[in-house]
Amino acid sequence: MGLTRIPGLLFGGDYNPEQWPEEVWAEDARLMAEAGVNMATVAVFSWSRLEPERGSYDFGWLDRVLDLLHEHGIAADLATATATPPPWLVREHPEMMPVNADGVRLEFGSRQGYCPSSPVYREHAVRLATTMAERYGEHPALAMWHIGNEYADHTLECFCPESARHFRRWLEARYATVDGLNDAWGTSCWGQHYTGFHQVEPPRTAPGPVNPAQVLDWRRFCSDALLELFLAEKAALRAVTPGVPVTTNFMSILHGLDYWKWAAAEDLVSDDAYPDPADPGSHVQVALSYDLMRSLRQGPWLLLESAPSAVSWREVNVPKPPGMMRLHSLQALAHGSDGVMFFQWRQARYGPEKFHSAMLPHGGTRTRGWRDTLALGGDLRNLSEVAGTRTRAQVALLLDWPSWWALEAPESMPSNRLKLKELLLSWYAPLHARGIAVDLAPPGRDLSPYELVIAPNLYMCTAEQAAALEAYEGRLVVGPFSGVVDESDRVHPGGAPGPLAGLLGIAVEEFWPLADGQVQRTGLGEARTWAEWIRLAGAEPVALFEGGDLDGLPAVTRKGAVTYVGCVLDDVTPVLEPLLDGIERVDVPEGVEAVRRGGHLFLLNHTTAPRQVTLPYAGTDLLTGAELRGGIELAPRDAVVLRIEGDK
């Protein structure tokens, strides 16, 4: 189920008409139409205006807004307005506010002011969603339902008694018996043996380190508890409006939520992305997150929020220089988005986001920001044929949320410097620089479509996941500290790499984290955070450690088509490059991004200098209409979107 009734690419942003006098609304609609806006996100934080008192609704203003949008050809991504409960509900039920790990109940005055396990919040949220569906299900402006907003941004977890009861129910469903729980959690350590589920509490602040298996299950539970909220509202909407697609906006590669599970519950994956204009490498990081969004449901997705210029929540909120808003927008399209949406349409005059940029800035239509909005609308019309096209990737990076949660447990690890995002990026960046398309995948997915699969880290690896990797017949790379524990964070018998031992042909005798300032050289580069004492058990050495305590021991090994990297290299290129034979790539200068989407090639110059690019194909630049072939000069922060000549 998608947004097939809206042709071309989506363009628009969050619209908060309740922040403005009604006489401004007509101007908003007129200017949206002028800019080419075809969808607006409405009512995200409107619960207190739609239901100012219990059971007393005021829908008149939203009726008029939706009518006005429809009259101007603008569809609505209509929120259920449940992202922030109203003051009256919080004051009637203060117990629904979240409690932190120290036992402090948080106060009303921001957003996401609810405990994910609160039956009161859930009851009222489902009731409001049902009421919204009954009122607007047949409205001609309605294109999509928007449930909640940026789940886990402010409220990922709650440690109140209601959450504890919910956690115990979740544990009982997972383990059936308290003996099963004790076995999974290894409660014989530190005298934590339970005789009943009623004795289990969330991992609140304790005198010392908390059982890491308990923390791991808490992470699983917190993701599932919020997903239950989403699914409850989705069920209410589906009962009334079965044909209207449903989404909620993700937050790129977010640690707290298992997006593989969440995406399976959505009709359309959508994402919020805010790359830092002050970070020259941010375009690589955001490209990785965009490829995740495309991979979650293996198809087009939607950039539902981005910033036209500066945000309002960094220590220094650097604006986007000329050309960057356009370039960032085109980058999202290159990686599979079927549109570009912004936060927000009209820049607020008050509140925490009054200095967050907007499509229509404080200065109105005389500003650079407005001119950029108009120009981008024209570009998106020219690129309409890109909508719905797909990307074929020959390389996959493996990402597993439970393994990530276990890897970055706050205490009890050999080193706290192994960060999964950094490990992912270390492999992704050289692929991205070579114009190689990359998917992300969970370890258990069918990997047969790929020529090369890279698991930067699989700290947690089950027998089933290991079997799936053994069944894969292509080139496989496994990074360090993999195959260490099972799904309950228990070390595999015999130690690492556990169920991967036969596949990798090695045994890890000892982990060797590196101290500050320590450098461990290898035949393929240097490592500064992590190394391992490896014994060969069927594999051959590709590179050895040189000098130091590990001198002469294997650093990188290979068994058949399977490579194991037993350290965190500063640069993985020497390992990667020999594995790229036969994989489609586009050679471009440093700082230029090349992405093929269907029959279109996007070339994006992220630098402040012109770049000479040799086109691998001839074709038409959809942005200018020019026929291009051979060599071109790509201006600073400029782009080409080439319709490849002869491509079907």
Side-chain angles (χ1 to χ4, degrees):
M1 184 184 297
L3 293 173
T4 53
R5 78 177 188 84
I6 303 176
L9 297 167
L10 297 173
F11 181 45
D14 277 50
Y15 182 39
N16 302 295
E18 64 270 37
Q19 296 180 11
W20 299 94
E22 189 161 349
E23 54 266 25
V24 175
W25 300 353
E27 180 187 35
D28 283 329
R30 178 181 61 80
L31 291 175
M32 285 183 192
E34 180 181 341
V37 167
N38 56 13
M39 191 165 78
T41 299
V42 184
V44 173
F45 299 110
S46 298
W47 192 343
S48 62
R49 296 295 301 271
L50 294 170
E51 189 181 11
E53 298 178 2
R54 175 190 286 270
S56 176
Y57 296 103
D58 179 10
F59 287 114
W61 67 271
L62 185 55
D63 293 346
R64 296 191 293 278
V65 167
L66 293 179
D67 290 346
L68 188 62
L69 291 175
H70 179 63
E71 289 168 11
H72 287 79
I74 301 161
D77 166 34
L78 183 57
T80 56
T82 55
T84 296
W88 62 262
L89 182 55
V90 173
R91 295 305 174 221
E92 286 183 17
H93 295 278
E95 75 280 3
M96 65 176 276
M97 289 297 290
V99 173
N100 67 20
D102 294 325
V104 176
R105 190 175 297 280
L106 306 183
E107 182 49 271
F108 180 83
S110 183
R111 58 183 185 175
Q112 291 188 356
Y114 56 81
C115 162
S117 299
S118 168
V120 173
Y121 170 76
R122 183 176 304 193
E123 173 191 348
H124 285 267
V126 169
R127 179 176 52 80
L128 180 60
T130 300
T131 304
M132 293 283 283
E134 290 171 345
R135 186 169 188 92
Y136 297 113
E138 299 298 325
H139 197 286
L142 177 63
M144 180 168 67
W145 287 115
H146 179 115
I147 298 176
N149 188 71
E150 294 184 334
Y151 280 101
D153 180 22
H154 300 290
T155 302
L156 167 63
E157 56 192 358
C158 174
F159 295 84
C160 74
E162 190 61 58
S163 294
R165 288 188 285 272
H166 192 185
F167 184 40
R168 288 190 284 269
R169 293 194 300 272
W170 184 93
L171 291 171
E172 194 162 4
R174 180 175 178 83
Y175 295 111
T177 67
V178 72
D179 288 340
L181 173 71
N182 282 316
D183 180 60
W185 284 12
T187 56
S188 58
C189 180
W190 284 13
Q192 296 178 4
H193 184 82
Y194 296 100
T195 58
F197 283 102
H198 66 282
Q199 297 169 345
V200 180
E201 293 289 338
R204 301 187 182 97
T205 303
V210 176
N211 185 338
Q214 180 183 6
V215 175
L216 172 60
D217 269 345
W218 177 251
R219 294 269 67 84
R220 289 179 170 121
F221 162 74
C222 290
S223 178
D224 286 354
L226 283 169
L227 182 56
E228 285 181 23
L229 291 180
F230 173 83
L231 290 172
E233 289 195 44
K234 177 185 174 182
L237 297 172
R238 191 67 94 229
V240 182
T241 57
V244 180
V246 168
T247 194
T248 189
N249 42 341
F250 290 165
M251 299 181 66
S252 299
I253 306 180
L254 183 70
H255 177 262
L257 302 182
D258 185 343
Y259 279 161
W260 297 117
K261 294 180 70 172
W262 277 72
E266 290 191 301
D267 298 315
L268 176 71
V269 169
S270 61
D271 187 39
D272 295 355
Y274 292 97
D276 187 352
D279 180 358
S282 65
H283 67 283
V284 182
Q285 300 168 39
V286 79
L288 172 60
S289 67
Y290 288 163
D291 284 345
L292 171 63
M293 294 303 128
R294 187 190 68 241
S295 303
L296 286 171
R297 289 183 64 90
Q298 299 178 290
W301 56 282
L302 176 61
L303 179 61
L304 201 54
E305 281 189 29
S306 54
S309 189
V311 299
S312 59
W313 39 265
R314 293 189 176 104
E315 186 173 351
V316 177
N317 295 301
V318 175
K320 290 184 178 180
M324 188 174 282
M325 170 196 179
R326 176 181 188 252
L327 192 66
H328 283 179
S329 300
L330 295 176
Q331 184 186 25
L333 300 180
H335 288 270
S337 178
D338 266 358
V340 180
M341 305 283 287
F342 293 95
F343 184 87
Q344 51 191 322
W345 162 252
R346 182 184 282 270
Q347 195 168 14
R349 291 185 57 214
Y350 48 77
E353 294 174 317
K354 60 182 176 293
F355 295 119
H356 194 294
S357 58
M359 301 172 74
L360 181 62
H362 287 144
T365 57
R366 296 172 295 175
T367 58
R368 172 181 75 96
W370 174 247
R371 292 192 295 274
D372 287 348
T373 296
L374 289 176
L376 182 60
D379 285 334
L380 296 181
R381 286 191 292 273
N382 291 335
L383 298 176
S384 61
E385 67 184 62
V386 172
T389 59
R390 294 175 178 264
T391 297
R392 176 180 174 267
Q394 295 174 282
V395 178
L397 290 177
L398 300 188
L399 167 59
D400 180 67
W401 260 268
S403 182
W404 183 5
W405 294 329
L407 174 70
E408 297 188 15
E411 298 169 304
S412 80
M413 302 299 281
S415 171
N416 289 326
R417 295 181 179 174
L418 290 178
K419 304 298 183 183
L420 188 65
K421 279 188 182 180
E422 295 175 6
L423 295 172
L424 284 167
L425 194 62
S426 71
W427 290 95
Y428 181 83
L431 293 165
H432 176 271
R434 287 158 177 74
I436 294 174
V438 178
D439 282 349
L440 284 89
R445 178 176 287 176
D446 175 20
L447 301 174
S448 60
Y450 303 107
E451 299 291 330
L452 172 64
V453 172
I454 302 169
N457 173 266
L458 280 178
Y459 167 68
M460 176 186 295
C461 184
T462 66
E464 292 77 15
Q465 291 170 339
L469 293 178
E470 289 175 358
Y472 173 63
E473 297 180 353
R475 287 159 271 178
L476 174 65
V477 178
V478 178
F481 205 42
S482 290
V484 181
V485 299
D486 66 10
E487 65 274 13
S488 296
D489 202 30
R490 299 172 298 193
V491 174
H492 286 294
L500 297 173
L503 177 66
L504 300 177
I506 58 107
V508 178
E509 296 203 354
E510 196 166 0
F511 304 124
W512 214 269
L514 303 176
D516 287 346
Q518 186 178 0
V519 177
Q520 177 61 65
R521 289 179 287 110
T522 81
L524 291 175
E526 295 180 336
R528 299 171 196 276
T529 58
W530 184 268
E532 295 171 356
W533 188 300
I534 294 173
R535 173 170 48 86
L536 298 176
E540 298 293 329
V542 175
L544 303 177
F545 289 115
E546 299 175 352
D549 296 319
L550 302 178
D551 185 45
L553 293 174
V556 179
T557 66
R558 184 165 299 146
K559 180 183 177 185
V562 181
T563 301
Y564 182 71
V565 183
C567 56
V568 177
L569 291 168
D570 290 348
D571 180 8
V572 301
T573 301
V575 177
L576 185 62
E577 191 64 50
L579 303 175
L580 299 179
D581 288 348
I583 292 175
E584 183 178 355
R585 60 196 285 175
V586 180
D587 292 318
V588 287
E590 183 178 357
V592 174
E593 181 176 13
V595 186
R596 179 162 177 175
R597 179 179 177 184
H600 304 88
L601 177 67
F602 286 72
L603 296 169
L604 311 165
N605 183 0
H606 292 280
T607 77
T608 56
R611 289 288 188 262
Q612 299 296 322
V613 178
T614 300
L615 297 177
Y617 317 101
T620 304
D621 179 11
L622 298 181
L623 295 169
T624 64
E627 299 293 326
L628 302 178
R629 64 182 64 245
I632 63 168
E633 181 175 277
L634 199 55
R637 297 197 186 102
D638 201 3
V640 163
V641 181
L642 196 71
R643 181 201 291 134
I644 299 170
E645 186 177 286
D647 191 88
K648 300 297 183 183

